[in-house]
Amino acid sequence: MSLHGRDLISIRDLSREEIEDVLAAAKRMVPYAGGAKVSHSLDHKIVAMAFFEPSTRTRLSFEAAVQRLGGSCITIADASVTSMRKGESLHDTIRMLGSYADAIVIRHPNEGSARLAARASDRPVLNAGDGSGQHPTQTLLDLATMQEAFGTLSGLRVVLLGDLKFGRTVHSLAHAIALFGSDIVLTSPPALGLPAQARRQLEHMGAKVREQADLHEAIRDADVLYVTRIQKERFGDESEYRRVAGSYRVDASVLADAKPRLAVMHPLPRAGEIAPEVDSTPHAVYFRQAALAVPVRMALLDMILGGRKGD
Ligand code: CP
């Protein structure tokens, strides 16, 4: 089914075939993302960036993607300078943005906010992270990174390390890993495990899911180590955060027993959970992962909103 005019709120909104189409299109976008070729796909189109939470990669790569496709952006980067400070609702803000722009990219601290935004506007809405819910466009670039590293998304063993309770990137990614038939190993502090319902959904899809508390054991036969930051901003109580802060760290000693081709991934930002010494090892793909954000988001925007093709 065509993605034209559709919302992307959850990775579940895309079939396996649609994900494969986006990844194939992202490969074709690489020369456009680097400026070697010029696209007019979004000529005269405006995309609204509605970011009510901090972001570096997601907002700026979306803005770069729009501009590389010939479009332009209007941006809320700080909710405190909008009329929401005067009490305007998210519903009204989004409904109004839909009359200024052709599509809306939203990040918001509340789970379900992107779904609410999609109901408020008849423009396509793309979820750029809703609280602890979903981050589907991150998953697409995560998959592009794995595909580039291994040539396949099937038959891999993927360790999800860190905050699996609040981390929206792993909530989206775990579904996609299951969809493509790779195995999932869950490694987290006990208080930050994957919610039971999310695990049941993966098992219902036929995924092999197991827990392995010991990081050294977990990565021994892993192909991918997907590291996440503890989501400090989601804790209601600072003392609870302090109890788990710093409880895992990937460094050279952790990687000593890893397969030579282990890919260490991270959606970034990192906050101490990957030592800088890992950056210079062949395992580190997290900056490549961040770079792929532009061609992947270009491909998605082109499929949802695009018109005239490149010269
Ligand atoms: N990966 C990611 O969502 O990064 P930002 O929070 O910087 O957008």
Side-chain angles (χ1 to χ4, degrees):
M1 207 166 92
S2 165
L3 295 189
H4 198 80
R6 278 168 54 185
D7 301 317
L8 178 57
I9 307 302
S10 163
I11 196 67
R12 292 182 191 81
D13 296 342
L14 298 176
S15 67
R16 178 172 168 157
E17 291 69 29
E18 287 167 341
I19 291 173
E20 286 169 341
D21 287 349
V22 174
L23 298 182
K27 279 189 196 159
R28 295 193 293 274
M29 279 296 174
V30 169
Y32 296 92
K37 287 186 170 184
V38 175
S39 170
H40 298 284
S41 172
L42 293 194
D43 272 6
H44 312 298
K45 296 276 170 64
I46 296 174
V47 179
M49 302 292 153
F51 278 67
F52 303 102
E53 257 194 351
S55 169
T56 298
R57 274 147 294 274
T58 309
R59 182 169 65 79
L60 297 182
S61 62
F62 258 119
E63 290 188 356
V66 170
Q67 290 175 47
R68 291 289 194 194
L69 291 169
S72 55
C73 300
I74 53 174
T75 296
I76 296 170
D78 179 358
S80 71
V81 297
T82 71
S83 287
M84 291 175 89
R85 276 290 292 273
K86 304 175 205 163
E88 188 165 35
S89 67
L90 180 64
H91 173 279
D92 287 4
T93 303
I94 296 297
R95 182 167 175 175
M96 186 269 317
L97 275 183
S99 61
Y100 297 165
D102 300 289
I104 299 165
V105 178
I106 180 171
R107 169 171 289 188
H108 193 280
N110 294 347
E111 196 169 334
S113 53
R115 191 73 69 193
L116 184 155
R119 284 198 290 268
S121 176
D122 55 7
R123 301 295 194 183
V125 170
L126 287 79
N127 182 4
D130 63 323
S132 300
Q134 286 272 310
H135 195 347
T137 67
Q138 177 70 43
T139 294
L140 292 170
L141 69 94
D142 294 343
L143 296 175
T145 308
M146 288 184 206
Q147 195 176 57
E148 187 175 84
F150 297 100
T152 181
L153 297 173
S154 303
L156 302 174
R157 178 156 298 164
V158 182
V159 178
L160 302 177
L161 170 66
D163 185 348
L164 311 184
K165 179 180 180 186
F166 296 121
R168 57 195 174 203
T169 62
V170 284
H171 295 164
S172 292
L173 180 61
H175 173 87
I177 295 168
L179 195 63
F180 281 90
S182 284
D183 296 349
I184 298 171
V185 180
L186 306 171
T187 302
S188 67
L192 298 178
L194 191 72
Q197 194 196 352
R199 182 168 178 166
R200 277 196 298 276
Q201 282 173 352
L202 298 173
E203 286 167 343
H204 187 68
M205 293 169 73
K208 274 197 210 151
V209 184
R210 69 179 167 89
E211 284 176 37
Q212 175 51 263
D214 185 313
L215 177 56
H216 288 85
E217 284 301 318
I219 69 163
R220 205 176 289 281
D221 54 0
D223 300 297
V224 175
L225 175 62
Y226 191 95
V227 188
T228 61
R229 172 180 70 88
I230 295 181
Q231 306 284 299
K232 183 179 182 185
E233 64 274 30
R234 310 276 175 236
F235 285 73
D237 180 348
E238 171 92 20
S239 66
E240 280 178 31
Y241 169 72
R242 281 200 299 272
R243 269 198 282 278
V244 287
S247 53
Y248 56 92
R249 181 172 166 88
V250 177
D251 58 17
S253 70
V254 168
L255 296 174
D257 295 332
K259 285 184 184 177
R261 287 193 64 193
L262 173 78
V264 178
M265 298 178 63
H266 194 308
L268 303 177
R270 61 179 154 177
E273 57 281 337
I274 299 181
E277 70 203 31
V278 177
D279 297 2
S280 56
T281 72
H283 299 296
V285 298
Y286 29 90
F287 289 114
R288 176 64 184 155
Q289 186 182 351
L292 285 171
V294 177
V296 168
R297 291 185 167 121
M298 286 176 75
L300 190 62
L301 287 163
D302 179 53
M303 292 166 86
I304 289 176
L305 199 58
R308 191 182 144 202
K309 296 302 167 199
D311 295 332

